[in-house]
Amino acid sequence: MIFCVEDEANIRELVVYTLETTGFHARGFEDGKAFYEALAGELPELVLLDIMLPGEDGMKILRKLKTTPRTKNIPVIMVTAKGAEYDKVMGLDSGADDFVTKPFGMMELIARIKAVLRRSQKSTESEIYTAGTLMLDVKKHEVTVDGRKVSLTLKEFELLKRLMTNRNIVLTRDTLLEEIWGYDFDGETRTVDVHVRTLRQKLGPEGNRIETVRGVGYRMGERDEA
């Protein structure tokens, strides 16, 4: 089941119709109130969420979803008329899995939905990666530093995982965008920089292991152990 939260009736109905005719089950909601009521009884596989909504806007709804244990793992694609970099960075940094700007083609939207669902459903690995006191457990989807749990967004976790599974290998910003976000995001590599900065802060002293390779990208280095 896919929930579409969109106040424009013609767009909402078209999206729901397209989803239904391409093999998905879908429900549409015109505002946050109706969405929350449905959410109380059923958890969707994915949420399409407009930013500009009457009453509570999409950004506030997104933050509630991602800070509530019951709903924090539901993938969210932001659907909005806004195309500014600030809105995209804010949405992605708040836990959104993708960002589609109106007007968009229905087949493009379906492709994005399938890509996000694939990424969110294939986490069956059991590997544990370590670097100093930093530990990443893929199966538990857990990160600790010196035994202390570190709370990361889905994108921050995926970013750290890519870096830790490619020790001493420089990963370009474009590569990280393609692997984690699923497409090149119009070359807006600032998104990667924002996530690296917040990831370093959350990891504390171990965040220094993430090295910047000027003009290229990032790598997880072999910092000397004390």
Side-chain angles (χ1 to χ4, degrees):
M1 177 64 71
I2 295 176
F3 283 1
C4 173
V5 190
E6 165 64 62
D7 64 321
E8 294 186 45
N10 58 334
I11 295 178
R12 184 174 67 249
E13 291 168 5
L14 177 59
V15 169
V16 169
Y17 173 78
T18 303
L19 287 168
E20 291 281 353
T21 56
T22 52
F24 293 100
H25 295 294
R27 294 178 63 185
F29 309 94
E30 64 181 359
D31 56 24
K33 183 176 182 295
F35 169 64
Y36 288 135
E37 289 174 355
L39 202 60
E42 178 182 17
L43 288 182
E45 294 178 83
L46 180 143
V47 175
L48 298 172
L49 181 60
D50 191 18
I51 285 185
M52 302 300 289
L53 293 169
E56 191 172 23
D57 66 42
M59 285 295 187
K60 290 180 181 178
I61 293 175
L62 173 64
R63 293 187 186 103
K64 281 187 179 179
L65 290 174
K66 294 303 180 180
T67 55
T68 302
R70 182 170 177 265
T71 59
K72 68 179 182 179
N73 293 323
I74 299 174
V76 178
I77 297 178
M78 303 301 289
V79 183
T80 180
K82 289 188 174 182
E85 179 186 5
Y86 174 80
D87 295 302
K88 293 181 180 180
V89 171
M90 284 294 292
L92 293 169
D93 203 39
S94 295
D97 295 85
D98 203 348
F99 204 109
V100 181
T101 303
K102 299 175 186 175
F104 51 83
M106 287 297 114
M107 291 304 99
E108 177 194 1
L109 180 62
I110 296 299
R112 295 282 186 87
I113 289 171
K114 289 180 177 179
V116 169
L117 288 175
R118 280 197 303 270
R119 293 199 300 271
S120 67
Q121 293 171 354
K122 69 177 183 180
S123 183
T124 58
E125 306 99 321
S126 60
E127 296 95 344
I128 294 177
Y129 302 96
T130 61
T133 66
L134 172 62
M135 183 182 76
L136 182 146
D137 188 321
V138 175
K139 188 173 183 180
K140 293 183 178 179
H141 207 273
E142 182 176 281
V143 172
T144 60
V145 172
D146 200 17
R148 174 182 58 85
K149 287 186 180 181
V150 180
S151 178
L152 301 180
T153 66
L154 178 61
K155 288 295 184 290
E156 289 166 352
F157 184 90
E158 288 298 322
L159 177 58
L160 181 60
K161 178 184 170 185
R162 291 303 192 287
L163 292 168
M164 293 188 74
T165 55
N166 292 277
R167 293 283 287 275
N168 289 319
I169 298 174
V170 180
L171 300 178
T172 68
R173 291 174 174 84
D174 287 339
T175 294
L176 290 168
L177 279 170
E178 183 176 353
E179 289 186 353
I180 298 173
W181 281 270
Y183 62 113
D184 66 9
F185 203 63
D186 299 326
E188 292 180 3
T189 54
R190 172 173 160 72
T191 302
V192 176
D193 298 333
V194 170
H195 282 75
V196 168
R197 184 169 67 247
T198 57
L199 182 57
R200 281 172 171 158
Q201 292 171 349
K202 290 183 177 182
L203 296 179
E206 293 291 2
N208 293 330
R209 292 181 178 277
I210 303 174
E211 302 173 355
T212 301
V213 180
R214 191 174 182 84
V216 183
Y218 299 96
R219 71 180 168 205
M220 179 68 73
E222 298 280 5
R223 194 185 65 183
D224 292 337
E225 307 293 340

